[in-house]
Amino acid sequence: MSTSITQLTLTRPDDWHLHVRDGATMATVIGHTARQFARAIIMPNLKSPIITTALAQAYRQRILDALPTDSHFQPLMTLYLTDDTSPGEISRAKNSGVVFAVKLYPAGATTHSSSGVTHLQKTYSALAAMEACGLPLLVHGEVTDPAVDIFDREKIFIEQQLMPLTQQFPDLKIVFEHITTKDAVDFVLESGNNVAATITPQHLLLNRNAMLVGGMHPHNYCLPVLKRETHREALVTAATSGKAKFFLGTDSAPHARDAKESACGCAGIFSAHAALEFYATAFERAGALDKLEGFASHFGADFYGLPRNTGSITLERREQTLVNEVTFGNKTLVPFFAGKTLAWTLL
Ligand code: DOR
Ligand code: ZN
């Protein structure tokens, strides 16, 4: 049984969905990810979004400049899809060698998504170019219709947007990001091998009670919002299935404490400080530690057509009490599982 394992050595993993922000705040959080992961897909939803290859190249350089000098961490950049993204911009992105995907935010769905897509049809020429050159589309899969209940927004998105999209572009590589429902798991399983999904630690470890029972818990609030227990169980089954369609993407999304503990608190959970320990905890609870390496270190690279990493990391079964605060620019943030104890420690 897995409880007898005291050390777990994995091919060095990658984070296929990460927010690091920019400037002084980025400089204070990037090291957490660089310590755990070889590479990360960097989300483009800055206040002024990364809508061109030139912006992505400059943002990448700022990240590299903020890393410790001995770091080999590689930021994998993305473009922010808008109604106006041109096929020419897609080919510039593909040819740049530094942009690895394009992110779809439905306008208004989440943090800094106001420049996002208003109608998918407006992006069809860009999507056709991506399908042709093999640049993946990363999808924030929630409808924004105010009439749709927030807990149903992913399921309705699948029916109204994603199914038609996969029919229109059958060869487009799609990563359904941070999936939160059994409906999303089923959709991914029923789709071709060009459709995969990332799963966050919070959606594996928590259900919506963690956000709402005993008071409001703003530090467990993210988008898509935590769902009921049956959905969490479906996500654990998918992540630990050993199926290559499901891989690691933390969606670590830093916000200062005051922006979370507010009358209108921001969506986003910071998990980069102990990402692998969180996943190890979830996989161990499912009795599936042997499936962690594929999920964390192999399947994402394979899907993106990138080489697997050559180095390794080791997790040890040694208790650690997680920090209560993390520096975030000139403020602090409250990280995931603040002050709680985990059974695993990354060496
Ligand atoms: O919780 C979230 N936070 N979900 C997102 O989609 C965006 C992210 C952020 O940028 O803070
Ligand atoms: Zn995200």
mmCIF file of all heavy atoms in Angstrom, residues 100-139:
data_model
loop_
_atom_site.group_PDB
_atom_site.id
_atom_site.type_symbol
_atom_site.label_atom_id
_atom_site.label_comp_id
_atom_site.label_asym_id
_atom_site.label_seq_id
_atom_site.Cartn_x
_atom_site.Cartn_y
_atom_site.Cartn_z
ATOM 1 N N PHE A 100 3.274 29.075 -26.710
ATOM 2 C CA PHE A 100 2.930 27.662 -26.825
ATOM 3 C C PHE A 100 1.437 27.389 -26.853
ATOM 4 O O PHE A 100 1.021 26.240 -27.034
ATOM 5 C CB PHE A 100 3.595 26.872 -25.693
ATOM 6 C CG PHE A 100 5.091 26.836 -25.852
ATOM 7 C CD1 PHE A 100 5.883 27.851 -25.343
ATOM 8 C CD2 PHE A 100 5.695 25.826 -26.578
ATOM 9 C CE1 PHE A 100 7.262 27.841 -25.526
ATOM 10 C CE2 PHE A 100 7.072 25.804 -26.776
ATOM 11 C CZ PHE A 100 7.857 26.819 -26.242
ATOM 12 N N ALA A 101 0.626 28.440 -26.664
ATOM 13 C CA ALA A 101 -0.823 28.240 -26.668
ATOM 14 C C ALA A 101 -1.512 29.592 -26.711
ATOM 15 O O ALA A 101 -0.869 30.640 -26.556
ATOM 16 C CB ALA A 101 -1.258 27.473 -25.420
ATOM 17 N N VAL A 102 -2.827 29.537 -26.921
ATOM 18 C CA VAL A 102 -3.651 30.749 -26.966
ATOM 19 C C VAL A 102 -4.816 30.526 -26.008
ATOM 20 O O VAL A 102 -5.444 29.470 -26.020
ATOM 21 C CB VAL A 102 -4.169 30.998 -28.397
ATOM 22 C CG1 VAL A 102 -5.076 32.220 -28.438
ATOM 23 C CG2 VAL A 102 -2.991 31.163 -29.362
ATOM 24 N N LYS A 103 -5.088 31.546 -25.163
ATOM 25 C CA LYS A 103 -6.089 31.371 -24.113
ATOM 26 C C LYS A 103 -7.403 32.047 -24.458
ATOM 27 O O LYS A 103 -7.438 33.224 -24.794
ATOM 28 C CB LYS A 103 -5.544 31.966 -22.796
ATOM 29 C CG LYS A 103 -6.489 31.873 -21.609
ATOM 30 C CD LYS A 103 -6.645 30.450 -21.097
ATOM 31 C CE LYS A 103 -7.745 30.312 -20.056
ATOM 32 N NZ LYS A 103 -7.286 30.553 -18.682
ATOM 33 N N LEU A 104 -8.474 31.276 -24.343
ATOM 34 C CA LEU A 104 -9.823 31.808 -24.546
ATOM 35 C C LEU A 104 -10.454 32.134 -23.200
ATOM 36 O O LEU A 104 -10.707 31.234 -22.393
ATOM 37 C CB LEU A 104 -10.695 30.761 -25.267
ATOM 38 C CG LEU A 104 -12.211 30.986 -25.192
ATOM 39 C CD1 LEU A 104 -12.627 32.287 -25.870
ATOM 40 C CD2 LEU A 104 -12.964 29.808 -25.803
ATOM 41 N N TYR A 105 -10.681 33.427 -22.958
ATOM 42 C CA TYR A 105 -11.525 33.859 -21.849
ATOM 43 C C TYR A 105 -12.815 34.397 -22.450
ATOM 44 O O TYR A 105 -12.777 35.407 -23.165
ATOM 45 C CB TYR A 105 -10.883 35.005 -21.058
ATOM 46 C CG TYR A 105 -9.703 34.608 -20.219
ATOM 47 C CD1 TYR A 105 -8.409 34.922 -20.615
ATOM 48 C CD2 TYR A 105 -9.880 33.928 -19.014
ATOM 49 C CE1 TYR A 105 -7.320 34.571 -19.834
ATOM 50 C CE2 TYR A 105 -8.790 33.566 -18.234
ATOM 51 C CZ TYR A 105 -7.521 33.889 -18.650
ATOM 52 O OH TYR A 105 -6.439 33.531 -17.879
ATOM 53 N N PRO A 106 -13.949 33.788 -22.163
ATOM 54 C CA PRO A 106 -15.196 34.451 -22.553
ATOM 55 C C PRO A 106 -15.245 35.815 -21.851
ATOM 56 O O PRO A 106 -14.905 35.905 -20.664
ATOM 57 C CB PRO A 106 -16.285 33.507 -22.018
ATOM 58 C CG PRO A 106 -15.598 32.170 -21.879
ATOM 59 C CD PRO A 106 -14.180 32.491 -21.503
ATOM 60 N N ALA A 107 -15.592 36.870 -22.574
ATOM 61 C CA ALA A 107 -15.574 38.223 -21.994
ATOM 62 C C ALA A 107 -16.407 38.248 -20.722
ATOM 63 O O ALA A 107 -17.566 37.832 -20.723
ATOM 64 C CB ALA A 107 -16.108 39.230 -23.003
ATOM 65 N N GLY A 108 -15.783 38.708 -19.637
ATOM 66 C CA GLY A 108 -16.505 38.851 -18.364
ATOM 67 C C GLY A 108 -16.511 37.609 -17.495
ATOM 68 O O GLY A 108 -17.095 37.615 -16.413
ATOM 69 N N ALA A 109 -15.841 36.524 -17.911
ATOM 70 C CA ALA A 109 -15.931 35.268 -17.146
ATOM 71 C C ALA A 109 -15.145 35.325 -15.839
ATOM 72 O O ALA A 109 -15.511 34.677 -14.866
ATOM 73 C CB ALA A 109 -15.450 34.093 -17.994
ATOM 74 N N THR A 110 -14.047 36.086 -15.818
ATOM 75 C CA THR A 110 -13.176 36.008 -14.641
ATOM 76 C C THR A 110 -12.242 37.216 -14.575
ATOM 77 O O THR A 110 -12.445 38.205 -15.295
ATOM 78 C CB THR A 110 -12.400 34.670 -14.658
ATOM 79 O OG1 THR A 110 -11.666 34.539 -13.436
ATOM 80 C CG2 THR A 110 -11.433 34.576 -15.823
ATOM 81 N N THR A 111 -11.211 37.135 -13.724
ATOM 82 C CA THR A 111 -10.254 38.228 -13.530
ATOM 83 C C THR A 111 -9.654 38.693 -14.865
ATOM 84 O O THR A 111 -9.164 37.870 -15.640
ATOM 85 C CB THR A 111 -9.093 37.739 -12.617
ATOM 86 O OG1 THR A 111 -9.659 37.178 -11.436
ATOM 87 C CG2 THR A 111 -8.160 38.866 -12.248
ATOM 88 N N HIS A 112 -9.696 39.993 -15.109
ATOM 89 C CA HIS A 112 -9.101 40.592 -16.316
ATOM 90 C C HIS A 112 -9.537 39.891 -17.605
ATOM 91 O O HIS A 112 -8.723 39.589 -18.470
ATOM 92 C CB HIS A 112 -7.557 40.587 -16.228
ATOM 93 C CG HIS A 112 -7.042 41.325 -15.039
ATOM 94 N ND1 HIS A 112 -5.869 41.012 -14.424
ATOM 95 C CD2 HIS A 112 -7.566 42.363 -14.340
ATOM 96 C CE1 HIS A 112 -5.682 41.827 -13.381
ATOM 97 N NE2 HIS A 112 -6.700 42.649 -13.318
ATOM 98 N N SER A 113 -10.830 39.666 -17.717
ATOM 99 C CA SER A 113 -11.326 39.020 -18.934
ATOM 100 C C SER A 113 -12.175 39.964 -19.768
ATOM 101 O O SER A 113 -12.828 39.544 -20.715
ATOM 102 C CB SER A 113 -12.143 37.769 -18.574
ATOM 103 O OG SER A 113 -13.276 38.130 -17.820
ATOM 104 N N SER A 114 -12.153 41.256 -19.439
ATOM 105 C CA SER A 114 -13.044 42.181 -20.151
ATOM 106 C C SER A 114 -12.656 42.337 -21.624
ATOM 107 O O SER A 114 -13.494 42.704 -22.443
ATOM 108 C CB SER A 114 -13.071 43.540 -19.461
ATOM 109 O OG SER A 114 -11.768 44.028 -19.341
ATOM 110 N N SER A 115 -11.404 42.035 -21.976
ATOM 111 C CA SER A 115 -11.027 42.075 -23.395
ATOM 112 C C SER A 115 -11.201 40.712 -24.059
ATOM 113 O O SER A 115 -10.723 40.508 -25.173
ATOM 114 C CB SER A 115 -9.566 42.486 -23.563
ATOM 115 O OG SER A 115 -9.252 43.576 -22.771
ATOM 116 N N GLY A 116 -11.847 39.804 -23.376
ATOM 117 C CA GLY A 116 -11.996 38.448 -23.895
ATOM 118 C C GLY A 116 -12.987 38.364 -25.048
ATOM 119 O O GLY A 116 -13.451 39.387 -25.576
ATOM 120 N N VAL A 117 -13.301 37.134 -25.419
ATOM 121 C CA VAL A 117 -14.082 36.885 -26.637
ATOM 122 C C VAL A 117 -15.565 37.115 -26.367
ATOM 123 O O VAL A 117 -16.119 36.605 -25.395
ATOM 124 C CB VAL A 117 -13.799 35.452 -27.119
ATOM 125 C CG1 VAL A 117 -14.733 35.068 -28.256
ATOM 126 C CG2 VAL A 117 -12.335 35.328 -27.542
ATOM 127 N N THR A 118 -16.215 37.886 -27.253
ATOM 128 C CA THR A 118 -17.648 38.148 -27.083
ATOM 129 C C THR A 118 -18.484 37.080 -27.771
ATOM 130 O O THR A 118 -19.496 36.639 -27.229
ATOM 131 C CB THR A 118 -18.036 39.535 -27.625
ATOM 132 O OG1 THR A 118 -17.711 39.586 -29.030
ATOM 133 C CG2 THR A 118 -17.294 40.651 -26.896
ATOM 134 N N HIS A 119 -18.061 36.669 -28.982
ATOM 135 C CA HIS A 119 -18.753 35.590 -29.709
ATOM 136 C C HIS A 119 -17.680 34.720 -30.347
ATOM 137 O O HIS A 119 -16.822 35.233 -31.075
ATOM 138 C CB HIS A 119 -19.675 36.145 -30.797
ATOM 139 C CG HIS A 119 -20.821 36.932 -30.248
ATOM 140 N ND1 HIS A 119 -21.892 36.337 -29.617
ATOM 141 C CD2 HIS A 119 -21.046 38.260 -30.203
ATOM 142 C CE1 HIS A 119 -22.741 37.276 -29.204
ATOM 143 N NE2 HIS A 119 -22.236 38.452 -29.545
ATOM 144 N N LEU A 120 -17.762 33.424 -30.100
ATOM 145 C CA LEU A 120 -16.711 32.533 -30.608
ATOM 146 C C LEU A 120 -16.531 32.649 -32.118
ATOM 147 O O LEU A 120 -15.420 32.551 -32.626
ATOM 148 C CB LEU A 120 -17.051 31.080 -30.246
ATOM 149 C CG LEU A 120 -16.316 30.492 -29.035
ATOM 150 C CD1 LEU A 120 -16.666 29.032 -28.875
ATOM 151 C CD2 LEU A 120 -14.796 30.672 -29.177
ATOM 152 N N GLN A 121 -17.632 32.869 -32.831
ATOM 153 C CA GLN A 121 -17.554 32.969 -34.299
ATOM 154 C C GLN A 121 -16.547 34.031 -34.740
ATOM 155 O O GLN A 121 -15.913 33.887 -35.785
ATOM 156 C CB GLN A 121 -18.925 33.309 -34.919
ATOM 157 C CG GLN A 121 -19.849 32.128 -35.090
ATOM 158 C CD GLN A 121 -20.614 31.815 -33.796
ATOM 159 O OE1 GLN A 121 -20.266 32.316 -32.725
ATOM 160 N NE2 GLN A 121 -21.636 30.984 -33.896
ATOM 161 N N LYS A 122 -16.403 35.079 -33.920
ATOM 162 C CA LYS A 122 -15.481 36.163 -34.296
ATOM 163 C C LYS A 122 -14.036 35.692 -34.306
ATOM 164 O O LYS A 122 -13.168 36.357 -34.867
ATOM 165 C CB LYS A 122 -15.638 37.343 -33.331
ATOM 166 C CG LYS A 122 -17.000 37.982 -33.423
ATOM 167 C CD LYS A 122 -17.024 39.308 -32.700
ATOM 168 C CE LYS A 122 -18.373 39.982 -32.935
ATOM 169 N NZ LYS A 122 -18.604 41.153 -32.110
ATOM 170 N N THR A 123 -13.765 34.553 -33.680
ATOM 171 C CA THR A 123 -12.378 34.081 -33.591
ATOM 172 C C THR A 123 -12.097 32.945 -34.577
ATOM 173 O O THR A 123 -11.011 32.359 -34.544
ATOM 174 C CB THR A 123 -12.069 33.567 -32.164
ATOM 175 O OG1 THR A 123 -12.823 32.356 -31.942
ATOM 176 C CG2 THR A 123 -12.426 34.575 -31.105
ATOM 177 N N TYR A 124 -13.057 32.627 -35.428
ATOM 178 C CA TYR A 124 -12.910 31.425 -36.262
ATOM 179 C C TYR A 124 -11.689 31.469 -37.179
ATOM 180 O O TYR A 124 -11.048 30.445 -37.404
ATOM 181 C CB TYR A 124 -14.185 31.180 -37.080
ATOM 182 C CG TYR A 124 -15.255 30.389 -36.340
ATOM 183 C CD1 TYR A 124 -15.167 30.149 -34.962
ATOM 184 C CD2 TYR A 124 -16.365 29.878 -37.020
ATOM 185 C CE1 TYR A 124 -16.144 29.437 -34.289
ATOM 186 C CE2 TYR A 124 -17.350 29.151 -36.345
ATOM 187 C CZ TYR A 124 -17.235 28.935 -34.986
ATOM 188 O OH TYR A 124 -18.198 28.218 -34.329
ATOM 189 N N SER A 125 -11.329 32.658 -37.688
ATOM 190 C CA SER A 125 -10.154 32.668 -38.579
ATOM 191 C C SER A 125 -8.882 32.391 -37.776
ATOM 192 O O SER A 125 -7.974 31.692 -38.247
ATOM 193 C CB SER A 125 -10.052 33.987 -39.353
ATOM 194 O OG SER A 125 -9.867 35.053 -38.461
ATOM 195 N N ALA A 126 -8.827 32.891 -36.541
ATOM 196 C CA ALA A 126 -7.670 32.599 -35.676
ATOM 197 C C ALA A 126 -7.664 31.112 -35.297
ATOM 198 O O ALA A 126 -6.606 30.468 -35.315
ATOM 199 C CB ALA A 126 -7.712 33.467 -34.421
ATOM 200 N N LEU A 127 -8.835 30.579 -34.971
ATOM 201 C CA LEU A 127 -8.901 29.160 -34.572
ATOM 202 C C LEU A 127 -8.516 28.250 -35.736
ATOM 203 O O LEU A 127 -7.847 27.226 -35.536
ATOM 204 C CB LEU A 127 -10.301 28.810 -34.056
ATOM 205 C CG LEU A 127 -10.757 29.548 -32.792
ATOM 206 C CD1 LEU A 127 -12.141 29.058 -32.352
ATOM 207 C CD2 LEU A 127 -9.759 29.401 -31.652
ATOM 208 N N ALA A 128 -8.927 28.634 -36.941
ATOM 209 C CA ALA A 128 -8.558 27.825 -38.117
ATOM 210 C C ALA A 128 -7.039 27.815 -38.286
ATOM 211 O O ALA A 128 -6.436 26.774 -38.584
ATOM 212 C CB ALA A 128 -9.242 28.376 -39.368
ATOM 213 N N ALA A 129 -6.416 28.981 -38.064
ATOM 214 C CA ALA A 129 -4.952 29.055 -38.177
ATOM 215 C C ALA A 129 -4.292 28.213 -37.088
ATOM 216 O O ALA A 129 -3.274 27.541 -37.326
ATOM 217 C CB ALA A 129 -4.506 30.516 -38.074
ATOM 218 N N MET A 130 -4.859 28.213 -35.909
ATOM 219 C CA MET A 130 -4.302 27.399 -34.807
ATOM 220 C C MET A 130 -4.462 25.910 -35.092
ATOM 221 O O MET A 130 -3.552 25.116 -34.836
ATOM 222 C CB MET A 130 -5.009 27.752 -33.490
ATOM 223 C CG MET A 130 -4.633 29.125 -32.975
ATOM 224 S SD MET A 130 -5.766 29.731 -31.723
ATOM 225 C CE MET A 130 -5.607 28.447 -30.499
ATOM 226 N N GLU A 131 -5.611 25.556 -35.624
ATOM 227 C CA GLU A 131 -5.842 24.148 -35.975
ATOM 228 C C GLU A 131 -4.810 23.692 -37.011
ATOM 229 O O GLU A 131 -4.224 22.617 -36.907
ATOM 230 C CB GLU A 131 -7.264 23.979 -36.526
ATOM 231 C CG GLU A 131 -7.638 22.541 -36.845
ATOM 232 C CD GLU A 131 -9.058 22.439 -37.387
ATOM 233 O OE1 GLU A 131 -9.448 23.294 -38.222
ATOM 234 O OE2 GLU A 131 -9.786 21.519 -36.973
ATOM 235 N N ALA A 132 -4.553 24.585 -37.984
ATOM 236 C CA ALA A 132 -3.627 24.225 -39.069
ATOM 237 C C ALA A 132 -2.185 24.106 -38.580
ATOM 238 O O ALA A 132 -1.444 23.229 -39.038
ATOM 239 C CB ALA A 132 -3.722 25.277 -40.181
ATOM 240 N N CYS A 133 -1.783 24.969 -37.635
ATOM 241 C CA CYS A 133 -0.365 24.933 -37.218
ATOM 242 C C CYS A 133 -0.150 24.192 -35.903
ATOM 243 O O CYS A 133 0.984 24.076 -35.428
ATOM 244 C CB CYS A 133 0.230 26.338 -37.159
ATOM 245 S SG CYS A 133 -0.313 27.310 -35.755
ATOM 246 N N GLY A 134 -1.213 23.694 -35.290
ATOM 247 C CA GLY A 134 -1.059 22.866 -34.090
ATOM 248 C C GLY A 134 -0.816 23.640 -32.815
ATOM 249 O O GLY A 134 -0.243 23.114 -31.859
ATOM 250 N N LEU A 135 -1.268 24.919 -32.781
ATOM 251 C CA LEU A 135 -1.134 25.712 -31.550
ATOM 252 C C LEU A 135 -2.379 25.475 -30.685
ATOM 253 O O LEU A 135 -3.494 25.743 -31.123
ATOM 254 C CB LEU A 135 -1.011 27.194 -31.925
ATOM 255 C CG LEU A 135 -0.422 28.170 -30.918
ATOM 256 C CD1 LEU A 135 0.997 27.777 -30.492
ATOM 257 C CD2 LEU A 135 -0.429 29.580 -31.502
ATOM 258 N N PRO A 136 -2.211 24.975 -29.455
ATOM 259 C CA PRO A 136 -3.391 24.620 -28.655
ATOM 260 C C PRO A 136 -4.211 25.827 -28.181
ATOM 261 O O PRO A 136 -3.662 26.895 -27.900
ATOM 262 C CB PRO A 136 -2.804 23.885 -27.439
ATOM 263 C CG PRO A 136 -1.432 23.490 -27.831
ATOM 264 C CD PRO A 136 -0.966 24.538 -28.814
ATOM 265 N N LEU A 137 -5.514 25.604 -28.082
ATOM 266 C CA LEU A 137 -6.436 26.571 -27.484
ATOM 267 C C LEU A 137 -6.685 26.145 -26.044
ATOM 268 O O LEU A 137 -7.089 25.009 -25.780
ATOM 269 C CB LEU A 137 -7.769 26.581 -28.250
ATOM 270 C CG LEU A 137 -8.827 27.542 -27.682
ATOM 271 C CD1 LEU A 137 -8.430 28.992 -27.959
ATOM 272 C CD2 LEU A 137 -10.207 27.249 -28.266
ATOM 273 N N LEU A 138 -6.440 27.066 -25.119
ATOM 274 C CA LEU A 138 -6.688 26.804 -23.695
ATOM 275 C C LEU A 138 -7.998 27.485 -23.330
ATOM 276 O O LEU A 138 -8.151 28.686 -23.558
ATOM 277 C CB LEU A 138 -5.542 27.363 -22.846
ATOM 278 C CG LEU A 138 -4.127 27.044 -23.333
ATOM 279 C CD1 LEU A 138 -3.100 27.592 -22.349
ATOM 280 C CD2 LEU A 138 -3.947 25.549 -23.544
ATOM 281 N N VAL A 139 -8.917 26.733 -22.768
ATOM 282 C CA VAL A 139 -10.280 27.232 -22.624
ATOM 283 C C VAL A 139 -10.661 27.449 -21.167
ATOM 284 O O VAL A 139 -10.577 26.519 -20.350
ATOM 285 C CB VAL A 139 -11.272 26.230 -23.261
ATOM 286 C CG1 VAL A 139 -12.711 26.698 -23.055
ATOM 287 C CG2 VAL A 139 -10.982 26.062 -24.741
#
